Amino acid sequence: MVQLAPAAAMDEVTFRSDTVLSDVHLYTPNHRHLMVRLNSVGQPVFLSQFKLLWSQDSWTDSGAKGGDHGHVHTKEPPSAETGSTGSPTGSGHTQEEDDVLGEEAQGSPHDIIRIEHTMATPLEDVGKQVWRGALLLADYILFRQDLFRGCTALELGAGTGLASIIAATVAQTVYCTDVGADLLAMCQRNIALNSHLAAAGGGVVKVKELDWLKDDLCTDPEVPFSWSQEEISDLYDHTTILFAAEVFYDDDLTDAVFKTLSRLAHRLKNACTAILSVEKRLNFTLRHLDVTCEAYDHFRSCLRALEQLADGKLRFVVEPVEASFPQLLVYERIQQLELWKIIAEPVT
C-alpha cells in the first residue's frame, strides 16, 4: 500500500527564484493531483493520469496488434479549458485515493497513462516534470506506428518516461535513458505503473543511464541502471530509432545531445532516424533587453551544423515534421511545439 504524505506538507511547498514549473500543470489546481510521497530530496511527488483518445477497439486493432493508425479515433480533442477529465491542459486524473492504491482507473486501463512526477523543481531536476513536448512526441509515435513497430528504439533524456511508455506499445525494445539514480528510479516506477500498455503491444522497456557528457556507456554492475554487454550489443546491432523531447533548454546540454546523437548514429549497425520535439520558448533577456528565444535558436543552429557535417561516413538529412497529425492525448498543442526528423544515412 502507498502511504500518502500528510496534507500539511502540501502547504509547505514553496517556490524559489530558480524554480521551474511545467506549463502542463501551471493552471491545474493542486487538488487535481494526488500527492503520493516525498522523493529523496524532499520534493512532493504527484500521480497524474493522462487521457488517451482511443477506444478499446482501436487499442486492439491499432495499438496492440499493429494495425493501421486509421483505426484510432481522430475526433477533435476536448478543449484545454475542460479536457476529457475536467482539468486544464489535459493533465486530468481522478481524485480517488483508491485509484493510486491500485484500483482500476476510470474507463479502460488502456485509455489512461499514469505518471509520477514533480510539479516544480530547480532547473537541474526538470526531467522529473511532464512537458508538452513529450506529449507531442507521444502523439507522433502513435500516429507513425509504422515507423516504430517492431523496432529497437532509444530515448535520450527520457525524464518521467512518458514517451518511452508510448513507444513500447508498438516497438519491440525501448531503451529509456537519462542520468541520476533518483530520476531513473522514478522512470522505472512509471514503467511499472503502465506495464500493461507495453505488455499488450509486446514491447519491453529497459531503463538505463546514458550521460551525454561521457563517450561510453556505464557497464559497472555496482552502478544502478548500468548496461550489460548483451544490452550494448543489442543497442548497437538493432536500434533504428532515436527520440528525445524537451531536452534543448541549455546550450551546453544541447551541444552534448547533438554530440551524443552523432556518436550513436556512427556506432549503430543500421541507418537510423531521430525524432526531436522542442518548444520554442520566448524569454526576456537583460543581454538583449528584448524578448528572444536563445535556447531554440541554438537548437536550430545545431540542426544546421549536423546537416552540414561531412566526415565521409554518414550524412544527416534534417526535415521539419508538420504537427497536423491527429491528437490522441489530451493536452494543449500550441503553435510553439515543433517536431524535427533527422535521417542518418551511410555515405555511398
Side-chain angles (χ1 to χ4, degrees):
M1 175 176 290
V2 177
Q3 288 291 327
L4 299 179
M10 294 285 290
D11 300 328
E12 298 170 6
V13 178
T14 59
F15 294 93
R16 306 182 326 201
S17 60
D18 62 346
T19 294
V20 180
L21 181 64
S22 167
D23 289 343
V24 169
H25 304 290
L26 188 59
Y27 301 109
T28 308
N30 281 344
H31 74 271
R32 298 298 295 172
H33 300 273
L34 208 56
M35 180 175 166
V36 292
R37 61 186 175 87
L38 295 174
N39 66 12
S40 62
V41 293
Q43 296 168 338
V45 175
F46 300 85
L47 183 68
S48 295
Q49 293 183 174
F50 294 84
K51 180 72 174 177
L52 279 161
L53 300 177
W54 57 24
S55 66
Q56 182 64 40
D57 290 340
S58 73
W59 168 261
T60 301
D61 293 340
S62 179
K65 296 188 178 179
D68 191 299
H69 55 250
H71 291 293
V72 179
H73 279 312
T74 57
K75 64 182 180 182
E76 287 295 315
S79 68
E81 287 71 29
T82 60
S84 67
T85 52
S87 68
T89 65
S91 346
H93 41 81
T94 68
Q95 298 179 30
E96 301 299 324
E97 294 183 8
D98 59 355
D99 175 65
V100 179
L101 303 177
E103 297 294 326
E104 186 177 53
Q106 288 185 353
S108 165
H110 291 136
D111 294 338
I112 297 292
I113 299 175
R114 299 161 65 185
I115 297 292
E116 276 196 10
H117 62 93
T118 55
M119 272 202 250
T121 65
L123 186 62
E124 62 267 21
D125 277 340
V126 292
K128 296 176 182 176
Q129 299 189 51
V130 178
W131 298 89
R132 275 188 297 225
L135 294 161
L136 178 69
L137 180 56
D139 258 346
Y140 183 74
I141 293 168
L142 291 169
F143 174 64
R144 285 300 311 271
Q145 294 183 39
D146 58 311
L147 183 62
F148 285 80
R149 186 175 299 121
C151 77
T152 296
L154 180 144
E155 181 174 12
L156 294 166
T160 62
L162 188 149
S164 283
I165 291 167
I166 289 294
T169 65
V170 283
Q172 177 177 320
T173 304
V174 179
Y175 289 101
C176 177
T177 73
D178 215 310
V179 292
D182 194 47
L183 174 58
L184 292 170
M186 173 183 281
C187 200
Q188 186 72 72
R189 281 190 292 273
N190 284 330
I191 289 162
L193 279 170
N194 299 279
S195 58
H196 58 286
L197 294 176
V204 174
V205 186
K206 297 186 177 185
V207 179
K208 296 294 171 185
E209 177 184 295
L210 197 159
D211 191 336
W212 307 332
L213 301 178
K214 297 179 180 178
D215 289 342
D216 297 314
L217 302 174
C218 177
T219 57
D220 184 349
E222 300 298 319
V223 176
F225 306 104
S226 62
W227 298 72
S228 69
Q229 291 299 333
E230 292 77 12
E231 289 166 337
I232 294 176
S233 295
D234 178 60
L235 173 73
Y236 291 145
D237 288 348
H238 300 112
T239 298
T240 56
I241 300 290
L242 306 173
F243 59 105
E246 296 281 41
V247 296
F248 309 105
Y249 53 88
D250 174 89
D251 288 358
D252 290 338
L253 289 179
T254 296
D255 291 341
V257 173
F258 276 91
K259 181 180 178 181
T260 300
L261 278 172
S262 177
R263 182 172 66 248
L264 287 171
H266 279 84
R267 293 180 180 179
L268 297 180
K269 182 178 180 179
N270 302 300
C272 70
T273 299
I275 309 296
L276 308 180
S277 174
V278 62
E279 182 173 337
K280 183 179 182 180
R281 291 185 172 86
L282 300 174
N283 298 292
F284 181 85
T285 64
L286 292 175
R287 182 163 57 137
H288 296 94
L289 294 179
D290 198 0
V291 175
T292 64
C293 43
E294 290 184 291
Y296 173 80
D297 291 342
H298 188 74
F299 165 76
R300 291 295 303 271
S301 70
C302 288
L303 282 178
R304 290 190 292 271
L306 186 66
E307 195 168 28
Q308 295 167 6
L309 184 66
D311 61 5
K313 297 178 181 178
L314 288 179
R315 71 184 188 105
F316 294 90
V317 179
V318 177
E319 303 172 355
V321 177
E322 182 66 35
S324 58
F325 44 88
Q327 186 168 335
L328 300 179
L329 283 156
V330 181
Y331 64 101
E332 185 183 15
R333 188 185 286 183
I334 60 175
Q335 290 184 344
Q336 289 78 17
L337 287 173
E338 294 184 2
L339 280 175
W340 291 83
K341 179 189 295 184
I342 301 171
I343 302 172
E345 301 174 329
V347 174
T348 56

